[in-house]
Amino acid sequence: MEGQGTQQTGKKVIFSGIQPSGTLTLGNYLGAIRNWKQLEDEYQCIYSVVDLHAITVRQEPAQLRRRCTELMAIYLAAGLNPEKTLIYCQSHVPAHAELAWILGCYTYLGELQRMTQYKDKAQKHAANLNAGLLTYPVLMAADILLYQADLVPIGADQKQHLELTRDIAIRFNGAYGDTFVVPDGYFPKVGARIRSLQEPARKMSKSDPEDTYIALLDTPEAIRRKFKRAVTDSEASVRFDPEGKPGVSNLMSILGAITGDSMEKIEADFAGQGYGAFKTAVADAVVAELEPIQNEHRRLMADKAYIETIMRASAERASAIAARTMRKVRRKVGLAPFSL
Ligand code: TRP
């Protein structure tokens, strides 16, 4: 089905979500949140803090609650405008869970068991291999289809889940006639693949040791220290060669993602200079980018009432959009009509 935009705006809809389950990294920021702000005018953007996804692994309740508020504050601190963009907490809109149940009845076990992320998680969480780990992508499909999203910004690791979302939407539309927009992925050009500072063969990840990633809320001192210790090579020349010089190339990508400079320009700027000066420049750029966000984040976290106001208003607007899809789905599936 073709996207028609939301009834309010007529704009194409973008939906994405981040789990409030850990520290956000510089990779999350450069690969996702930083780009979101640029989409705000052209699209109706909807960004969710997906706490229902987070509970597929055990969370400490107080910590989960705090991280949800914190992630909301990060969305806001990164410059998203809550008047335009919907930023809300997934569990505040019960239709996510409701649609996930219905879509689960149109998803085959074999499809879910084939998901690589499920297979990884099944190994990692063998002691708590709950059904939610398996049905995780159905909830993600519900998130996306509920808002009739046209585009879904995601990292490469979520591509398979988006494919499944499309398959479910096409299957449902095939059975009942046009109901859901079939969404496309939206893949950022820069910053999508920020790598570990110690093992650049790996993606920068918050589940790796601390000195391998930059956390969004790291102090400037920690950021400088981590870049100083980042692995490079023995050639002492700033040259972009992801295969031969993965460490240096990663640092160049980080710098380029922030400044917008090409790799050629960075090479020219640092020609004849050692890695010391280069690393300092990368650290300075990252600190300059993150410091204002951190300050705003701190300010917002001291004003929880404001964050709650935004959360409530956004959840209300999100619920209204979701309700339209749910009415349609209930009718198509044949659930008994009712009105309160
Ligand atoms: N599964 C995604 C991740 O771990 C998070 C997510 C949940 C999501 N629902 C979504 C992303 C809907 C995009 C759209 O990164």
Side-chain angles (χ1 to χ4, degrees), residues 12 74 89 143 256-257 302:
K12 283 202 170 193
I74 286 176
C89 175
D143 297 344

Side-chain angles (χ1 to χ4, degrees), residues 76-92:
L76 292 168
L80 292 175
N81 176 351
E83 307 262 304
K84 295 184 191 159
T85 294
L86 286 180
I87 42 185
Y88 73 100
C89 175
Q90 182 189 35
S91 67
H92 291 177

Side-chain angles (χ1 to χ4, degrees), residues 15-19 50 53 136 140 143-144 152-154 158 161:
F15 184 96
S16 196
I18 297 182
Q19 293 191 46
V50 291
H53 279 99
Y136 180 109
M140 180 161 160
D143 297 344
I144 296 166
V152 184
I154 39 165
Q158 296 298 312
H161 291 164

Side-chain angles (χ1 to χ4, degrees), residues 9 11 40-41 43-45 81-86 317:
T9 63
K11 290 178 179 173
E40 240 176 9
D41 291 320
Y43 300 95
Q44 170 61 61
C45 298
N81 176 351
E83 307 262 304
K84 295 184 191 159
T85 294
L86 286 180
R317 285 166 63 200

Side-chain angles (χ1 to χ4, degrees), residues 193-205 207-213 226 229-232 242-243 245-251:
R193 288 185 167 268
I194 301 299
R195 330 218 117 251
S196 160
L197 298 181
Q198 294 301 324
E199 276 183 79
R202 298 162 60 87
K203 186 178 141 183
M204 183 179 278
S205 164
S207 28
D208 286 342
E210 255 233 62
D211 57 341
T212 67
Y213 66 85
K226 288 178 185 180
R229 292 193 195 147
V231 293
T232 47
E243 296 277 300
K245 296 163 70 70
V248 170
S249 302
N250 185 39
L251 298 180

Side-chain angles (χ1 to χ4, degrees), residues 54-302:
I55 60 168
T56 51
V57 301
R58 289 287 169 265
Q59 304 288 338
E60 209 275 295
Q63 195 177 50
L64 178 61
R65 213 172 284 128
R66 182 172 47 74
R67 281 185 167 152
C68 201
T69 312
E70 243 173 40
L71 189 48
M72 280 289 300
I74 286 176
Y75 285 178
L76 292 168
L80 292 175
N81 176 351
E83 307 262 304
K84 295 184 191 159
T85 294
L86 286 180
I87 42 185
Y88 73 100
C89 175
Q90 182 189 35
S91 67
H92 291 177
V93 181
H96 287 257
E98 192 181 357
L99 184 59
W101 169 260
I102 295 174
L103 295 181
C105 300
Y106 298 84
T107 308
Y108 297 107
L109 263 186
E111 290 179 302
L112 295 173
Q113 285 160 338
R114 265 201 300 281
M115 295 289 119
T116 41
Q117 195 169 73
Y118 168 69
K119 289 193 261 182
D120 288 351
K121 285 189 180 169
Q123 284 192 342
K124 238 167 98 186
H125 303 286
N128 177 23
L129 188 44
N130 63 71
L133 284 174
L134 181 67
T135 57
Y136 180 109
V138 181
L139 179 58
M140 180 161 160
D143 297 344
I144 296 166
L145 301 181
L146 202 46
Y147 298 96
Q148 308 288 355
D150 298 279
L151 292 172
V152 184
I154 39 165
D157 62 328
Q158 296 298 312
K159 233 175 163 166
Q160 207 183 21
H161 291 164
L162 184 66
E163 271 309 310
L164 179 63
T165 301
R166 292 172 53 91
D167 290 343
I168 296 171
I170 291 168
R171 184 174 302 148
F172 195 100
N173 288 350
Y176 298 107
D178 275 356
T179 308
F180 297 120
V181 171
V182 180
D184 285 308
Y186 186 92
F187 302 97
K189 283 183 275 310
V190 284
R193 288 185 167 268
I194 301 299
R195 330 218 117 251
S196 160
L197 298 181
Q198 294 301 324
E199 276 183 79
R202 298 162 60 87
K203 186 178 141 183
M204 183 179 278
S205 164
K206 62 195 176 197
S207 28
D208 286 342
E210 255 233 62
D211 57 341
T212 67
Y213 66 85
I214 303 289
L216 207 55
L217 300 178
D218 268 350
T219 61
E221 300 73 50
I223 293 173
R224 294 211 159 83
R225 189 183 64 241
K226 288 178 185 180
F227 277 116
K228 208 170 267 171
R229 292 193 195 147
V231 293
T232 47
D233 51 61
S234 54
E235 196 195 14
S237 98
V238 177
R239 191 161 53 76
F240 192 68
D241 172 7
E243 296 277 300
K245 296 163 70 70
V248 170
S249 302
N250 185 39
L251 298 180
M252 291 177 73
S253 301
I254 293 172
L255 184 58
I258 291 174
T259 59
D261 287 345
S262 67
M263 296 304 111
E264 292 75 23
K265 173 155 193 319
I266 297 174
E267 285 176 0
D269 286 350
F270 293 92
Q273 299 188 44
Y275 289 152
F278 171 57
K279 284 176 161 181
T280 304
V282 178
D284 284 348
V286 170
V287 168
E289 174 78 19
L290 296 188
E291 240 182 348
I293 297 172
Q294 296 179 345
N295 291 339
E296 181 62 6
H297 182 261
R298 205 169 306 122
R299 194 186 69 76
L300 287 164
M301 285 303 283

